[in-house]
Amino acid sequence: MSFLLRVVLPDKPGNLGAVASALGGAGADILSVDVVERGDGQAVDDIAVELPTNRPPDVLITAAESVPGVSVESVRPHTGQLDTHRELELLDEIAGDHAHGLDLLAAEVPRLFRAGWALVAVSEHGRSYRIAESSAAPETRSGDLPWLPLDRAIALDESHWVPEPWRAMDTELAAAPFGTGVPPKTLVVGRPGGPVFRPSELARLAHLAGIVATVLKA
C-alpha cells in the first residue's frame, strides 16, 4: 500500500536523508519527495512511500520521528508518485479547451494539491452555487457564502461559514479568488483528514487560479 507522509524537520543537511534511512529501515520504499515549504529553520516535505501490506502505517510515524527534531504532520493513503509539474500540463490543456476550462481545473486541482475534492463557486443575489466541481465534491444545496468575495487565498476556519458537508471527515479547506468578473467566483479545495493548507500552498493555489482565470478571461 502507498501512503503520503507530511513531515516537518529541521532544515539542515542530512536530515532528509536520515528520515529516508529510517523509513527504509521500517520497510518503506520511498517513491518520491516534494518540498512543500521552507523557512524559519524548518522544512515541510511530502514523502510518498510504499509499505508492505503486513506493515501498519503507524510504523512510518515511529520511524520518521525517531530522527531528532522531526515530526509527522499527517499520514494518509496515496496512489502513485507526486505530480510536481502537473500545473503546466493542466494550463496547456485549459488553453486548448476554453469551453471545458473550469471543469478541467476542478477535476485536476485535487491531484495537484493532494486533496479530496475541488469546486468553483459563484456568489450572487445572496446565494452561492457551484459552476464546476470534481467527482468527489460533496453534495450541498445553494446558500450564501458570506465571506465572498475574496481578495486573497485563505484557509477556511471555523470563522468562515460553509455547508456542513464541506467539514465532514475533518476536512481542511482552502479558497482562492477566481477572476475579477461579476459575480465573484472562488476556487474551493477540500482535504479530508488534513493536513492544513500551508502558506506556500495557498500562494500556489492563488497563482494557479489567477493564471487560469486570465487564460479563460474570467
Side-chain angles (χ1 to χ4, degrees):
M1 296 183 64
S2 296
F3 296 91
L4 182 64
L5 286 81
R6 176 158 292 187
V7 298
V8 182
L9 64 162
D11 192 9
K12 297 179 180 179
N15 275 342
L16 181 58
V19 171
S21 296
L23 291 173
D29 182 17
I30 295 178
L31 303 176
S32 50
V33 178
D34 182 35
V35 178
V36 176
E37 192 170 87
R38 299 178 70 179
D40 298 325
Q42 286 190 321
V44 180
D45 295 341
D46 279 349
I47 306 176
V49 304
E50 194 171 70
L51 196 63
T53 54
N54 63 343
R55 303 282 284 168
D58 289 355
V59 303
L60 300 172
I61 300 175
T62 302
E65 293 188 344
S66 69
V67 179
V70 174
S71 62
V72 176
E73 199 168 88
S74 68
V75 177
R76 50 203 167 112
H78 180 71
T79 302
Q81 299 185 359
L82 303 178
D83 295 312
T84 56
H85 303 291
R86 175 61 179 149
E87 281 100 330
L88 295 178
E89 297 175 11
L90 174 59
L91 290 172
D92 186 55
E93 288 180 27
I94 292 174
D97 188 2
H98 283 205
H100 298 98
L102 288 179
D103 293 326
L104 290 169
L105 176 68
E108 289 298 323
V109 158
R111 182 162 58 149
L112 291 175
F113 288 86
R114 295 145 212 170
W117 54 266
L119 58 84
V120 179
V122 165
S123 182
E124 61 178 343
H125 307 308
R127 71 185 188 100
S128 301
Y129 55 93
R130 67 191 68 191
I131 56 176
E133 61 184 343
S134 67
S135 59
E139 292 295 329
T140 57
R141 296 181 179 179
S142 61
D144 188 29
L145 296 177
W147 36 270
L148 288 179
L150 294 174
D151 58 6
R152 59 186 175 86
I154 60 172
L156 299 174
D157 56 30
E158 296 300 328
S159 67
H160 302 94
W161 183 89
V162 298
E164 186 60 33
W166 291 13
R167 299 281 188 197
M169 299 171 59
D170 295 322
T171 298
E172 297 291 340
L173 298 167
F178 186 84
T180 57
V182 178
K185 304 180 186 67
T186 185
L187 172 62
V188 181
V189 187
R191 187 184 275 164
V196 299
F197 285 89
R198 296 233 165 214
S200 61
E201 294 179 294
L202 295 177
R204 185 171 152 226
L205 184 66
H207 291 155
L208 177 63
I211 293 172
V212 173
T214 299
V215 170
L216 298 178
K217 299 179 181 179

